[in-house]
Amino acid sequence: MKSSRHGINTLVTVENITPFGIWLFVKGREYFLSYKDYPYFREQTLKSIQAVQLLHGYHLYWPELDVDLEIDNLENPEKYPLKSKPIRSHLTGQSSGSPKKPVSR
């Protein structure tokens, strides 16, 4: 993806999407984002995953997915122990939390 507007420096490409994760090429380095560690990419479209931008030389952004990652997160995952979990929509019939019990009065 090539662009240079508004601080976007595009030295990033999606090299491969596998059943296990995504391979990115960023500023001459290759990174693997496994679905285990980055589950929000698992059920996304090819187009939305490929629409990645490199902002300010260190910030990866997927505008269609509203996902932000800093390159430091990929290079030093031990510094970022918290993991986010994908939120499942009530429209898909899958719950994001435990089922609610009816309140008895």
Side-chain angles (χ1 to χ4, degrees), residues 14-48:
V14 176
E15 293 293 308
N16 196 7
I17 299 174
T18 75
F20 307 103
I22 300 165
W23 285 97
L24 294 179
F25 191 73
V26 184
K27 295 171 56 173
R29 293 194 61 189
E30 197 170 47
Y31 299 95
F32 179 68
L33 285 68
S34 72
Y35 296 136
K36 179 182 160 215
D37 294 327
Y38 302 95
Y40 30 82
F41 292 111
R42 183 183 308 271
E43 299 296 324
Q44 302 303 328
T45 65
L46 180 66
K47 179 182 172 193
S48 64

Side-chain angles (χ1 to χ4, degrees), residues 24-33 38 54 57-60 69-80 83:
L24 294 179
F25 191 73
V26 184
K27 295 171 56 173
R29 293 194 61 189
E30 197 170 47
Y31 299 95
F32 179 68
L33 285 68
Y38 302 95
L54 179 64
Y58 63 90
H59 180 105
L60 296 169
L69 288 173
E70 288 192 19
I71 293 174
D72 192 52
N73 185 283
L74 303 176
E75 293 177 349
N76 303 294
E78 68 281 356
K79 289 173 39 179
Y80 305 92
K83 301 282 183 192

Side-chain angles (χ1 to χ4, degrees), residues 45-97:
T45 65
L46 180 66
K47 179 182 172 193
S48 64
I49 292 172
Q50 289 179 325
V52 60
Q53 301 172 356
L54 179 64
L55 305 175
H56 311 294
Y58 63 90
H59 180 105
L60 296 169
Y61 178 57
W62 286 263
E64 294 181 30
L65 305 177
D66 196 26
V67 172
D68 295 271
L69 288 173
E70 288 192 19
I71 293 174
D72 192 52
N73 185 283
L74 303 176
E75 293 177 349
N76 303 294
E78 68 281 356
K79 289 173 39 179
Y80 305 92
L82 297 177
K83 301 282 183 192
S84 68
K85 295 180 182 175
I87 298 172
R88 298 178 191 242
S89 169
H90 69 282
L91 299 174
T92 64
Q94 297 176 338
S95 174
S96 62

